Amino acid sequence: MFRASKWIPVILIVFLVSVFASTVFSIEIGKPVAESPDKRFAKFPNGSILDRKTNLIWMEKDYWQMEAKWINWYKAREYAQKMNHKRFGGYQDWRIPTAKEAESLYDRRKRNTDKDGDKIFIDSMFPKGAGWGTWSSDEKRNKAITVSYKDEGGQAYQDKISGVDAFLRLVRNATPSTCLL
């Protein structure tokens, strides 16, 4: 027999933990310096952007914007390690996004421009001049999935060494336990 009184303490604990986690996260990352018009994205002074829809934190700038060169998949993995070693934005858990995570940035209603001045469909909270896609961590033998933000978007397997979609935007999960500011 179900007794509601047994579940009230459990529900209360879950609620309090979620409120505490949100508060700790806000304290550790600071207040946003800008928000997207739809409030989905919040930009922070440490070079990161929180996606409230997916609860992911993205690097504001991608590899192309920071290094002005192409990157293969293996170098992308090394770059994530480098950013973690440098504690970029105060964190050391940056990683290559999954294809699903990377694809979550694509939104046909959003407009931005890539490094060539062409239209890409990611929020304008991300600065203009980025690459038009990103590597993902999803791999199969000598290929990995890249996600495009141009035209209709989508995913494609590219050679890990010579892939033509040689861009990268790192991500991390937005959880208080991994905030290291």
Side-chain angles (χ1 to χ4, degrees):
M1 180 172 181
F2 178 76
R3 292 189 59 199
S5 62
K6 281 185 167 180
W7 290 100
I8 291 173
V10 172
I11 292 169
L12 182 61
I13 290 170
V14 169
F15 174 76
L16 290 174
V17 166
S18 66
V19 168
F20 175 73
S22 297
T23 303
V24 169
F25 179 73
S26 297
I27 290 168
E28 291 191 24
I29 198 168
K31 293 192 185 253
V33 294
E35 288 186 330
S36 59
D38 62 3
K39 306 290 186 211
R40 175 178 170 183
F41 294 99
K43 186 184 296 191
F44 292 89
N46 66 352
S48 68
I49 295 178
L50 171 65
D51 181 346
R52 292 182 175 118
K53 180 178 176 183
T54 62
N55 206 32
L56 294 171
I57 297 177
W58 295 91
M59 287 179 80
E60 180 180 353
K61 294 182 179 178
D62 73 355
Y63 184 83
W64 180 267
Q65 292 167 309
M66 295 178 78
E67 304 291 331
K69 56 186 174 180
W70 305 98
I71 187 167
N72 73 38
W73 189 82
Y74 295 103
K75 293 283 185 190
R77 291 178 50 185
E78 290 175 15
Y79 185 70
Q81 290 175 348
K82 176 183 169 185
M83 292 294 102
N84 287 331
H85 181 73
K86 289 171 78 171
R87 296 175 60 103
F88 179 83
Y91 308 114
Q92 57 185 35
D93 59 348
W94 294 105
R95 58 184 172 75
I96 299 173
T98 66
K100 182 179 179 183
E101 290 169 338
E103 202 167 54
S104 73
L105 290 180
Y106 178 88
D107 186 337
R108 193 75 179 154
R109 297 168 296 178
K110 307 290 178 143
R111 299 287 188 273
N112 206 320
T113 53
D114 69 9
K115 66 179 199 62
D116 300 318
D118 294 331
K119 207 177 342 179
I120 55 174
F121 299 97
I122 64 172
D123 199 278
S124 60
M125 290 295 294
F126 295 95
K128 295 178 184 336
W132 43 268
T134 186
W135 284 109
S136 81
S137 59
D138 298 329
E139 60 178 311
K140 189 179 202 177
R141 294 191 244 352
N142 66 333
K143 297 184 181 229
I145 292 177
T146 58
V147 174
S148 173
Y149 301 125
K150 286 185 100 165
D151 304 322
E152 297 303 315
Q155 302 177 7
Y157 275 101
Q158 299 287 332
D159 184 276
K160 290 179 181 177
I161 295 174
S162 63
V164 295
D165 295 336
F167 302 106
L168 172 68
R169 186 177 304 276
L170 296 177
V171 70
R172 61 179 298 278
N173 293 348
T175 57
S177 62
T178 56
C179 292
L180 299 173
L181 290 177

Short mmCIF file of all heavy atoms in Angstrom, two decimals, residues 1-40:
data_model
loop_
_atom_site.label_atom_id
_atom_site.label_comp_id
_atom_site.label_asym_id
_atom_site.label_seq_id
_atom_site.Cartn_x
_atom_site.Cartn_y
_atom_site.Cartn_z
N MET A 1 0.83 -1.18 0.00
CA MET A 1 0.00 0.00 0.00
C MET A 1 0.88 1.25 0.00
O MET A 1 1.85 1.35 0.73
CB MET A 1 -0.89 -0.04 1.23
CG MET A 1 -1.81 1.13 1.34
SD MET A 1 -2.95 0.82 2.70
CE MET A 1 -3.87 2.26 2.59
N PHE A 2 0.57 2.19 -0.85
CA PHE A 2 1.32 3.43 -0.97
C PHE A 2 0.93 4.39 0.15
O PHE A 2 -0.24 4.66 0.36
CB PHE A 2 1.04 4.06 -2.34
CG PHE A 2 1.73 5.38 -2.53
CD1 PHE A 2 3.08 5.42 -2.81
CD2 PHE A 2 1.03 6.57 -2.43
CE1 PHE A 2 3.72 6.63 -2.98
CE2 PHE A 2 1.67 7.78 -2.60
CZ PHE A 2 3.02 7.80 -2.88
N ARG A 3 1.93 4.89 0.84
CA ARG A 3 1.67 5.87 1.89
C ARG A 3 2.42 7.14 1.54
O ARG A 3 3.63 7.16 1.51
CB ARG A 3 2.14 5.34 3.23
CG ARG A 3 1.29 4.17 3.71
CD ARG A 3 1.58 3.78 5.11
NE ARG A 3 1.35 4.92 5.99
CZ ARG A 3 1.87 5.02 7.20
NH1 ARG A 3 2.61 4.06 7.69
NH2 ARG A 3 1.63 6.07 7.94
N ALA A 4 1.67 8.20 1.26
CA ALA A 4 2.25 9.49 0.86
C ALA A 4 3.20 10.03 1.92
O ALA A 4 4.20 10.66 1.61
CB ALA A 4 1.15 10.48 0.57
N SER A 5 2.90 9.79 3.19
CA SER A 5 3.72 10.35 4.26
C SER A 5 5.15 9.82 4.21
O SER A 5 6.07 10.49 4.65
CB SER A 5 3.09 10.08 5.62
OG SER A 5 3.00 8.69 5.84
N LYS A 6 5.37 8.60 3.69
CA LYS A 6 6.72 8.06 3.57
C LYS A 6 7.52 8.80 2.50
O LYS A 6 8.72 8.91 2.59
CB LYS A 6 6.68 6.58 3.20
CG LYS A 6 6.38 5.66 4.33
CD LYS A 6 6.49 4.24 3.83
CE LYS A 6 6.51 3.27 4.98
NZ LYS A 6 6.62 1.89 4.52
N TRP A 7 6.86 9.28 1.48
CA TRP A 7 7.52 9.91 0.35
C TRP A 7 7.78 11.39 0.55
O TRP A 7 8.65 11.96 -0.11
CB TRP A 7 6.70 9.70 -0.93
CG TRP A 7 6.75 8.26 -1.35
CD1 TRP A 7 5.80 7.32 -1.14
CD2 TRP A 7 7.83 7.61 -2.01
NE1 TRP A 7 6.21 6.11 -1.62
CE2 TRP A 7 7.46 6.26 -2.17
CE3 TRP A 7 9.07 8.02 -2.47
CZ2 TRP A 7 8.29 5.34 -2.78
CZ3 TRP A 7 9.90 7.10 -3.09
CH2 TRP A 7 9.50 5.78 -3.23
N ILE A 8 7.10 12.03 1.46
CA ILE A 8 7.28 13.46 1.68
C ILE A 8 8.72 13.80 2.06
O ILE A 8 9.31 14.71 1.47
CB ILE A 8 6.25 14.00 2.70
CG1 ILE A 8 4.85 13.95 2.06
CG2 ILE A 8 6.61 15.42 3.14
CD1 ILE A 8 3.73 14.29 3.00
N PRO A 9 9.36 13.08 3.01
CA PRO A 9 10.76 13.41 3.33
C PRO A 9 11.70 13.21 2.12
O PRO A 9 12.61 14.01 1.91
CB PRO A 9 11.13 12.45 4.46
CG PRO A 9 9.83 12.01 5.04
CD PRO A 9 8.83 12.07 3.93
N VAL A 10 11.46 12.20 1.33
CA VAL A 10 12.31 11.95 0.16
C VAL A 10 12.16 13.08 -0.86
O VAL A 10 13.14 13.61 -1.37
CB VAL A 10 11.95 10.58 -0.49
CG1 VAL A 10 12.68 10.39 -1.80
CG2 VAL A 10 12.25 9.45 0.47
N ILE A 11 10.93 13.47 -1.11
CA ILE A 11 10.67 14.56 -2.06
C ILE A 11 11.29 15.86 -1.54
O ILE A 11 11.90 16.62 -2.29
CB ILE A 11 9.16 14.71 -2.31
CG1 ILE A 11 8.65 13.48 -3.07
CG2 ILE A 11 8.85 15.98 -3.07
CD1 ILE A 11 7.14 13.38 -3.14
N LEU A 12 11.16 16.11 -0.25
CA LEU A 12 11.73 17.32 0.34
C LEU A 12 13.26 17.33 0.21
O LEU A 12 13.85 18.34 -0.14
CB LEU A 12 11.32 17.42 1.82
CG LEU A 12 11.80 18.66 2.56
CD1 LEU A 12 11.24 19.92 1.90
CD2 LEU A 12 11.38 18.59 4.01
N ILE A 13 13.89 16.20 0.46
CA ILE A 13 15.35 16.10 0.34
C ILE A 13 15.79 16.36 -1.10
O ILE A 13 16.72 17.12 -1.35
CB ILE A 13 15.86 14.74 0.86
CG1 ILE A 13 15.71 14.68 2.38
CG2 ILE A 13 17.32 14.50 0.44
CD1 ILE A 13 15.96 13.33 2.99
N VAL A 14 15.12 15.74 -2.06
CA VAL A 14 15.45 15.93 -3.47
C VAL A 14 15.30 17.40 -3.85
O VAL A 14 16.16 17.98 -4.51
CB VAL A 14 14.58 15.03 -4.38
CG1 VAL A 14 14.73 15.41 -5.84
CG2 VAL A 14 14.94 13.57 -4.16
N PHE A 15 14.22 18.03 -3.39
CA PHE A 15 14.00 19.44 -3.68
C PHE A 15 15.11 20.30 -3.09
O PHE A 15 15.66 21.17 -3.75
CB PHE A 15 12.63 19.88 -3.14
CG PHE A 15 12.39 21.36 -3.27
CD1 PHE A 15 12.08 21.92 -4.50
CD2 PHE A 15 12.49 22.19 -2.16
CE1 PHE A 15 11.88 23.29 -4.62
CE2 PHE A 15 12.29 23.55 -2.27
CZ PHE A 15 11.98 24.10 -3.51
N LEU A 16 15.46 20.08 -1.83
CA LEU A 16 16.49 20.88 -1.18
C LEU A 16 17.85 20.70 -1.83
O LEU A 16 18.60 21.67 -2.00
CB LEU A 16 16.56 20.53 0.32
CG LEU A 16 15.36 20.99 1.16
CD1 LEU A 16 15.48 20.47 2.58
CD2 LEU A 16 15.25 22.51 1.14
N VAL A 17 18.17 19.47 -2.23
CA VAL A 17 19.44 19.22 -2.91
C VAL A 17 19.49 19.97 -4.23
O VAL A 17 20.49 20.60 -4.58
CB VAL A 17 19.67 17.70 -3.12
CG1 VAL A 17 20.80 17.44 -4.11
CG2 VAL A 17 19.96 17.03 -1.79
N SER A 18 18.38 19.96 -4.99
CA SER A 18 18.38 20.66 -6.28
C SER A 18 18.50 22.18 -6.08
O SER A 18 19.20 22.85 -6.83
CB SER A 18 17.15 20.31 -7.10
OG SER A 18 15.98 20.78 -6.49
N VAL A 19 17.84 22.72 -5.08
CA VAL A 19 17.95 24.16 -4.80
C VAL A 19 19.37 24.50 -4.37
O VAL A 19 19.95 25.47 -4.84
CB VAL A 19 16.93 24.60 -3.72
CG1 VAL A 19 17.23 26.00 -3.22
CG2 VAL A 19 15.52 24.50 -4.27
N PHE A 20 19.94 23.68 -3.48
CA PHE A 20 21.30 23.91 -3.02
C PHE A 20 22.28 23.84 -4.18
O PHE A 20 23.16 24.68 -4.32
CB PHE A 20 21.68 22.89 -1.94
CG PHE A 20 23.11 23.01 -1.51
CD1 PHE A 20 23.53 24.07 -0.71
CD2 PHE A 20 24.06 22.08 -1.91
CE1 PHE A 20 24.84 24.19 -0.31
CE2 PHE A 20 25.37 22.20 -1.52
CZ PHE A 20 25.77 23.24 -0.72
N ALA A 21 22.12 22.84 -5.05
CA ALA A 21 23.02 22.68 -6.20
C ALA A 21 22.95 23.89 -7.11
O ALA A 21 23.97 24.39 -7.57
CB ALA A 21 22.67 21.41 -6.98
N SER A 22 21.77 24.38 -7.39
CA SER A 22 21.61 25.57 -8.23
C SER A 22 22.26 26.79 -7.60
O SER A 22 22.91 27.58 -8.26
CB SER A 22 20.14 25.86 -8.49
OG SER A 22 19.55 24.81 -9.19
N THR A 23 22.09 26.93 -6.28
CA THR A 23 22.67 28.06 -5.57
C THR A 23 24.19 27.98 -5.59
O THR A 23 24.86 28.97 -5.86
CB THR A 23 22.15 28.10 -4.12
OG1 THR A 23 20.74 28.15 -4.15
CG2 THR A 23 22.70 29.29 -3.37
N VAL A 24 24.74 26.80 -5.31
CA VAL A 24 26.19 26.63 -5.32
C VAL A 24 26.73 26.93 -6.71
O VAL A 24 27.73 27.62 -6.87
CB VAL A 24 26.59 25.20 -4.87
CG1 VAL A 24 28.06 24.93 -5.14
CG2 VAL A 24 26.28 25.01 -3.40
N PHE A 25 26.06 26.42 -7.74
CA PHE A 25 26.50 26.66 -9.11
C PHE A 25 26.53 28.16 -9.39
O PHE A 25 27.50 28.68 -9.92
CB PHE A 25 25.59 25.94 -10.11
CG PHE A 25 25.98 26.17 -11.53
CD1 PHE A 25 27.10 25.56 -12.05
CD2 PHE A 25 25.24 27.01 -12.34
CE1 PHE A 25 27.49 25.77 -13.35
CE2 PHE A 25 25.62 27.23 -13.64
CZ PHE A 25 26.74 26.61 -14.14
N SER A 26 25.48 28.88 -9.02
CA SER A 26 25.41 30.32 -9.26
C SER A 26 26.52 31.06 -8.53
O SER A 26 27.11 31.99 -9.07
CB SER A 26 24.05 30.87 -8.82
OG SER A 26 23.03 30.31 -9.58
N ILE A 27 26.80 30.66 -7.31
CA ILE A 27 27.85 31.32 -6.53
C ILE A 27 29.21 31.06 -7.16
O ILE A 27 30.02 31.96 -7.31
CB ILE A 27 27.84 30.83 -5.06
CG1 ILE A 27 26.58 31.35 -4.36
CG2 ILE A 27 29.09 31.27 -4.33
CD1 ILE A 27 26.33 30.72 -3.02
N GLU A 28 29.47 29.82 -7.58
CA GLU A 28 30.79 29.47 -8.08
C GLU A 28 31.07 30.04 -9.46
O GLU A 28 32.19 30.42 -9.75
CB GLU A 28 30.96 27.95 -8.08
CG GLU A 28 31.06 27.42 -6.67
CD GLU A 28 31.48 25.98 -6.63
OE1 GLU A 28 32.12 25.51 -7.57
OE2 GLU A 28 31.18 25.32 -5.64
N ILE A 29 30.10 30.08 -10.35
CA ILE A 29 30.34 30.57 -11.70
C ILE A 29 30.13 32.08 -11.81
O ILE A 29 30.62 32.71 -12.71
CB ILE A 29 29.48 29.81 -12.73
CG1 ILE A 29 30.05 30.00 -14.14
CG2 ILE A 29 28.04 30.20 -12.66
CD1 ILE A 29 29.46 29.07 -15.16
N GLY A 30 29.45 32.66 -10.88
CA GLY A 30 29.19 34.10 -10.91
C GLY A 30 27.92 34.42 -11.66
O GLY A 30 27.20 33.55 -12.10
N LYS A 31 27.69 35.70 -11.81
CA LYS A 31 26.48 36.15 -12.52
C LYS A 31 26.80 36.28 -14.00
O LYS A 31 27.89 36.68 -14.38
CB LYS A 31 26.01 37.47 -11.96
CG LYS A 31 25.52 37.35 -10.53
CD LYS A 31 24.80 38.61 -10.11
CE LYS A 31 24.44 38.50 -8.65
NZ LYS A 31 23.07 38.28 -8.40
N PRO A 32 25.80 35.98 -14.85
CA PRO A 32 26.03 36.13 -16.29
C PRO A 32 26.26 37.60 -16.65
O PRO A 32 25.70 38.50 -16.05
CB PRO A 32 24.72 35.64 -16.92
CG PRO A 32 23.85 35.13 -15.84
CD PRO A 32 24.47 35.48 -14.53
N VAL A 33 27.10 37.81 -17.67
CA VAL A 33 27.32 39.16 -18.17
C VAL A 33 26.37 39.46 -19.32
O VAL A 33 26.20 40.61 -19.70
CB VAL A 33 28.78 39.38 -18.62
CG1 VAL A 33 29.72 39.31 -17.42
CG2 VAL A 33 29.20 38.39 -19.68
N ALA A 34 25.75 38.42 -19.87
CA ALA A 34 24.76 38.60 -20.95
C ALA A 34 23.90 37.34 -21.05
O ALA A 34 24.32 36.26 -20.64
CB ALA A 34 25.46 38.84 -22.28
N GLU A 35 22.70 37.53 -21.56
CA GLU A 35 21.79 36.40 -21.77
C GLU A 35 21.20 36.53 -23.17
O GLU A 35 21.00 37.63 -23.68
CB GLU A 35 20.66 36.40 -20.75
CG GLU A 35 21.10 36.00 -19.37
CD GLU A 35 19.92 35.87 -18.42
OE1 GLU A 35 18.91 36.58 -18.60
OE2 GLU A 35 20.02 35.06 -17.49
N SER A 36 20.89 35.38 -23.76
CA SER A 36 20.23 35.41 -25.07
C SER A 36 18.79 35.90 -24.87
O SER A 36 18.24 35.79 -23.77
CB SER A 36 20.24 34.01 -25.69
OG SER A 36 19.59 33.07 -24.86
N PRO A 37 18.18 36.48 -25.91
CA PRO A 37 16.81 36.99 -25.77
C PRO A 37 15.81 35.96 -25.25
O PRO A 37 14.92 36.30 -24.49
CB PRO A 37 16.45 37.43 -27.19
CG PRO A 37 17.76 37.73 -27.83
CD PRO A 37 18.74 36.75 -27.23
N ASP A 38 16.01 34.69 -25.61
CA ASP A 38 15.09 33.65 -25.14
C ASP A 38 15.51 33.06 -23.78
O ASP A 38 14.90 32.14 -23.29
CB ASP A 38 14.96 32.53 -26.18
CG ASP A 38 16.27 31.81 -26.46
OD1 ASP A 38 17.30 32.11 -25.81
OD2 ASP A 38 16.27 30.92 -27.34
N LYS A 39 16.59 33.60 -23.19
CA LYS A 39 17.10 33.20 -21.86
C LYS A 39 17.70 31.80 -21.85
O LYS A 39 18.05 31.29 -20.79
CB LYS A 39 16.03 33.31 -20.76
CG LYS A 39 15.36 34.65 -20.66
CD LYS A 39 16.29 35.69 -20.15
CE LYS A 39 15.55 36.99 -19.92
NZ LYS A 39 16.35 38.15 -20.11
N ARG A 40 17.83 31.17 -23.01
CA ARG A 40 18.40 29.81 -23.05
C ARG A 40 19.88 29.84 -22.70
O ARG A 40 20.38 28.98 -21.99
CB ARG A 40 18.20 29.19 -24.43
CG ARG A 40 18.87 27.83 -24.55
CD ARG A 40 18.66 27.16 -25.87
NE ARG A 40 19.51 26.00 -25.97
CZ ARG A 40 19.59 25.24 -27.04
NH1 ARG A 40 18.85 25.50 -28.10
NH2 ARG A 40 20.40 24.21 -27.05
#
